[in-house]
Structures are given as C-alpha cells and as structure tokens.
Amino acid sequence: MMITPIYSPVTALLTQHHIPFQMIEIPLSDDKKPIRRLEELLSAQGLDPQSVVRSVVFKGEHSGFSLLAVAGGGRADWALLRAHLNERKCRMAEYDEVPEATSYVVGAVPPIALPESLRVLVDRSVSHYETVVIGSGVLGYALALRSADLLRLLNDKVQGSFVKE
C-alpha cells in the first residue's frame, strides 16, 4: 500500500537536518478525529505505543502558551510546571486555542517546527525511548524517528522532569 507522502513544516525541518523518519498513517474515524486505537496501530508496526510524544499545550496566567513534550503515559505535573514558569495558575489550552498557539490542529501538534514565540518544555521521558512517534503537523499522519535526533532539534529547549512519577 502506497502512503501518500505529506509535506509539512515538520517533514521539511527533518529533511533539512537529514534526519530519517518513518511516516505512519493514522486512519481517521468518520468524524475526522484520529482513531483512539493508535496504540494498536503502533504495536502492529513494531513500535512501542508508550513512545508517542504528546504535545501538551497549556496557558499560564502571565507566561502565555507553553508546550510540554512528554512521552509514555505520564501526566503533566501542574505544580512543577507552575513552579518552573513562576505561575500561580496554569490551565490546559482550549481546543480552539491550540491552532492559535501552535499553528497546528489538535491531534497533529508536533514538538518541533513551532512558532518561535511558543515556549517548549521537554520532559526527560522523551529520552527513555530509542524511537519516538511525534505529530507530523498533518492530521492522520504521525512520524517515527530516533529520540536522539528529536532531542538534538530540541537541545535549546528547557529539559527536565515535568510529569508525576
């Protein structure tokens, strides 16, 4: 089966840095939302379902939008995030705020190729996997690449532990 090659700022950035990646097609359900069986889909392709790097977009009272890249099933630790950002209050971004903050729709948000103005935090869980799966920037597709390559692109971002252990 031929996979339609997609083009996005994410694939452009990876190509520009000569970083190899594998495209994963994610069938969309009838309402055009990514299927919830992503884990099964990845397992079938020999990928660890825990290796998905989620891009969690949230907003601080004063610091504006930030994105937390986190792998595994970890949940964001709001107390740690507030402390790091020196905020009293943080909340998840609303559905329609995500494109405004990231330039991508919910379900396709990558941890790279983002607006300069968006603060990116990288949880150390990303380095726990040899291969990680990230949003491609295009709904219905994800990209698998080496975590070392992804972390190289994120090496100027704040890295730390931002999830509940």
Side-chain angles (χ1 to χ4, degrees):
M1 177 177 93
M2 266 299 290
I3 289 186
T4 324
I6 58 156
Y7 177 83
S8 75
V10 186
T11 58
L13 182 69
L14 294 173
T15 304
Q16 178 194 329
H17 287 271
H18 307 289
I19 294 175
F21 60 90
Q22 173 195 345
M23 197 162 295
I24 301 163
E25 192 166 1
I26 305 165
L28 298 175
S29 58
D30 296 337
D31 56 2
K32 293 286 175 275
K33 292 196 170 70
I35 54 162
R36 294 284 167 251
R37 298 192 313 277
L38 179 61
E39 283 74 14
E40 291 167 32
L41 188 75
L42 295 175
S43 297
Q45 301 202 21
L47 293 162
D48 182 347
Q50 291 291 308
S51 69
V52 174
V53 175
R54 294 188 325 260
S55 296
V56 180
V57 182
F58 61 96
K59 187 174 189 179
E61 208 172 10
H62 307 289
S63 56
F65 290 108
S66 296
L67 181 146
L68 172 64
V70 57
R75 294 219 125 346
D77 187 322
W78 293 102
L80 286 173
L81 289 168
R82 283 195 307 270
H84 177 77
L85 297 169
N86 205 7
E87 285 282 16
R88 274 200 355 246
K89 289 186 178 145
C90 282
R91 64 166 176 81
M92 291 289 289
E94 303 285 341
Y95 194 84
D96 55 352
E97 288 176 330
V98 171
E100 174 195 328
T102 66
S103 310
Y104 302 99
V105 295
V106 171
V109 180
I112 52 173
L114 293 158
E116 286 296 315
S117 57
L118 185 66
R119 179 186 300 97
V120 176
L121 306 173
V122 183
D123 185 74
R124 65 171 53 106
S125 56
V126 173
S127 64
H128 297 176
Y129 303 90
E130 192 173 334
T131 300
V132 289
V133 177
I134 64 171
S136 67
V138 177
L139 210 53
Y141 295 89
L143 305 174
L145 69 159
R146 290 176 52 238
S147 62
D149 288 334
L150 177 62
L151 289 168
R152 211 169 59 235
L153 291 177
L154 292 167
N155 69 0
D156 60 334
K157 306 300 182 198
V158 173
Q159 319 233 346
S161 187
F162 299 106
V163 295
K164 294 194 167 92
E165 293 306 326

